[in-house]
Amino acid sequence: MNQIAENLDMQALIHQIRDQIQLCQTADCEQRIAQAMQQYPHSPVPHNLMGILLSQQNEPLRAMKHFRAAAALEPTYIPARCNLELCTSLNSSGSFAYEEQDFSLTQPVNPWKVIWDEKGVGHLVRRKRQ
C-alpha cells in the first residue's frame, strides 16, 4: 500500500475515532484501532488514538504506554509527544491532540520544572511567570 493511501486511511480513522469519543460511543473504537495497528504496524497514529481512548476510559498507565509507542515509532510525531506530556503533567489542563493541527504553540507551558541538586536529587519547583 502506498503512502498516500495510508495517510488517507489514517485521516479517516482519526476523524471517526474523534467523533465517536466526543459522542461517548466508544464500543467498537478499541477494535477498530487495533485493526489499524495490525494493518499499519509502523504508523504512530493508531497508538496515539488508543492512548486517547484509554485515557478517556480512566486507564492512564495503559494510555501512556501507547503514547510512548507512538513517539518511539516516529519521534517527530507531535500529537503523541503532546499527549504524553499532558498525561504526565501535574497540571493536566488541556485537550488531547488527535492530529498535528490540534497542537498549538500557544498551549500553556507546564508551570513546574525539576532542578537537580549537587547530590543528584531532583526538586520540583514552580517556574517563574513571564
Side-chain angles (χ1 to χ4, degrees), residues 6-123:
E6 180 180 340
N7 288 342
L8 291 175
D9 287 349
M10 289 297 106
Q11 285 300 315
L13 181 67
I14 288 169
H15 294 291
Q16 291 167 358
I17 298 299
R18 180 198 312 250
D19 292 343
Q20 287 185 316
I21 289 175
Q22 288 176 346
L23 295 172
C24 297
Q25 300 172 346
T26 59
D28 69 329
C29 286
E30 192 167 348
Q31 179 183 358
R32 291 180 47 214
I33 295 169
Q35 287 173 346
M37 283 182 198
Q38 191 174 27
Q39 188 172 1
Y40 304 106
H42 301 291
S43 175
V45 174
H47 285 282
N48 187 55
L49 293 174
M50 185 65 82
I52 293 170
L53 177 65
L54 291 170
S55 187
Q56 295 294 325
Q57 295 173 344
N58 292 321
E59 296 191 43
L61 295 177
R62 287 182 62 205
M64 286 189 292
K65 287 178 184 179
H66 283 281
F67 293 139
R68 284 194 303 268
L73 284 169
E74 189 175 323
T76 60
Y77 187 63
I78 294 172
R81 296 171 59 88
C82 173
N83 293 337
L84 187 58
E85 185 174 325
L86 184 66
C87 282
T88 59
S89 170
L90 293 176
N91 179 21
S92 62
S93 62
S95 57
F96 288 104
Y98 288 84
E99 54 190 330
E100 303 258 343
Q101 295 86 345
D102 294 339
F103 179 76
S104 89
L105 297 175
T106 61
Q107 286 187 340
V109 175
N110 185 350
W112 301 95
K113 66 179 178 179
V114 177
I115 295 182
W116 302 92
D117 66 14
E118 64 279 352
K119 294 180 181 178
V121 177
H123 300 276

